[in-house]
Amino acid sequence: MMCFDECLELPASRIEVEHSIALTARWAKRCKEAQVKTNGISGEQALFGIFQGGGELDLREQSLEQIVEIDFDGYAIGGLSVGESKEEMYRVAHHITPKMPAEKPRYLMGVGDPEDLLEGIEAGIDMFDCVLPTRNARNGSLFTSRGKISIKQNQYKEDPEPLDPDCACSTCQNYSRAYLRHLFKSNEILGVRLNTYHNLFFYLTLIKGARAAVKDQHFPEFKKDFLEKYRSGLDGD
Ligand SMILES: [Zn+2]
């Protein structure tokens, strides 16, 4: 369960960010009080605090401090991936994540594509959530080990290859790109299901690999190898 917070659209002025983190801290206190009061009713449900601060690093630190003081089960970076550039998101994530309590889960909200996930993990993030794999799947935008594919493109019309030859999911094991393209073009609901299955499988496989690499202490190599292949590109969509 997440605290109520205010997520500002970026860019925002410093004064707006200051007001916003103050409001977010007041709401967080009330959320915590409500959780304590209803503990018998809600059982052992965890409550995460969310801190804000836009792109202002000192306000990020201030907001984090205010939220950590209230003491939550985990902490989330809010207000990133809301229209700012990737560089800006990475800059904030790399600055603030190491300052978050290491003994509690660190959660980057609303992120992201495969590159963002690896960048977040490198910064020290433990958790993510994102609509991207499922929403993209519904639009025919599919993640593969060699980059994104837009399955509606003409070049896949008679392509007998699996969507991603390196993927072990049932979509890739059983269907061709041409068939997936046909399903997409015909608005067949099966296409949406097969695409969604693949994209979720791809994300889970990526995260499993990253988790193992962190454990074995070779995450930088894992990230480099993945990105090299991922950026080698299929159709550059
Ligand atoms: Zn697959």
Side-chain angles (χ1 to χ4, degrees):
M1 191 162 56
M2 306 302 296
C3 277
F4 203 43
D5 69 321
E6 186 182 45
C7 181
L8 277 183
E9 208 173 303
L10 295 181
S13 71
R14 191 173 166 90
I15 194 91
E16 282 175 317
V17 178
E18 280 172 349
H19 283 139
S20 178
I21 62 170
L23 178 66
T24 292
R26 292 199 300 276
W27 279 345
K29 261 187 215 124
R30 286 165 67 184
C31 289
K32 174 78 181 191
E33 284 161 17
Q35 187 211 19
V36 171
K37 219 187 293 173
T38 57
N39 223 355
I41 305 163
S42 61
E44 295 300 306
Q45 193 168 27
L47 179 64
F48 276 44
I50 307 172
F51 67 96
Q52 294 281 343
E56 312 276 345
L57 297 182
D58 60 324
L59 295 182
R60 278 276 167 197
E61 288 180 26
Q62 199 181 313
S63 180
L64 172 63
E65 211 172 287
Q66 290 166 346
I67 300 300
V68 169
E69 208 186 297
I70 303 169
D71 187 26
F72 291 101
D73 301 306
Y75 297 96
I77 308 179
L80 284 186
S81 198
V82 291
E84 79 285 5
S85 69
K86 270 185 188 294
E87 291 69 30
E88 175 69 354
M89 176 171 84
Y90 296 165
R91 182 181 71 90
V92 177
H94 276 281
H95 176 83
I96 205 68
T97 310
K99 300 183 192 311
M100 296 168 73
E103 72 284 4
K104 303 268 178 85
R106 298 184 279 197
Y107 169 20
L108 181 53
M109 298 181 77
V111 173
D113 67 23
E115 290 161 303
D116 299 338
L117 298 186
L118 293 180
E119 200 66 33
I121 292 168
E122 189 166 57
I125 295 293
D126 304 303
M127 295 169 65
F128 304 90
D129 77 291
C130 195
V131 298
L132 216 57
T134 48
R135 189 177 61 197
N136 277 24
R138 292 194 297 276
N139 295 323
S141 172
L142 306 172
F143 295 97
T144 81
S145 52
R146 286 180 175 74
K148 263 198 292 177
I149 278 187
S150 175
I151 200 66
K152 64 183 169 221
Q153 289 195 354
N154 254 340
Q155 69 187 92
Y156 303 119
K157 198 170 177 180
E158 292 179 23
D159 191 337
E161 293 298 315
L163 176 55
D164 183 351
D166 296 336
C167 178
C169 89
S170 61
T171 298
C172 294
Q173 295 302 307
N174 292 294
Y175 304 98
S176 66
R177 291 174 186 161
Y179 184 59
L180 293 175
R181 182 181 180 278
H182 157 73
L183 293 175
F184 184 82
K185 297 295 273 187
S186 324
N187 270 330
E188 278 286 350
I189 193 75
L190 176 62
V192 171
R193 292 178 60 190
L194 295 177
N195 291 347
T196 302
Y197 187 86
H198 164 80
N199 270 2
L200 287 174
F201 191 95
F202 180 84
Y203 262 60
L204 289 173
T205 305
L206 170 64
I207 293 295
K208 264 185 210 158
R211 194 179 292 133
V214 168
K215 217 171 168 182
D216 298 344
Q217 300 192 334
H218 63 83
F219 181 77
E221 294 95 298
F222 173 84
K223 182 186 172 210
K224 186 173 161 281
D225 292 347
F226 175 87
L227 290 179
E228 246 169 48
K229 197 168 164 191
Y230 187 71
R231 288 170 179 161
S232 68
L234 281 162
D235 61 16
D237 173 57

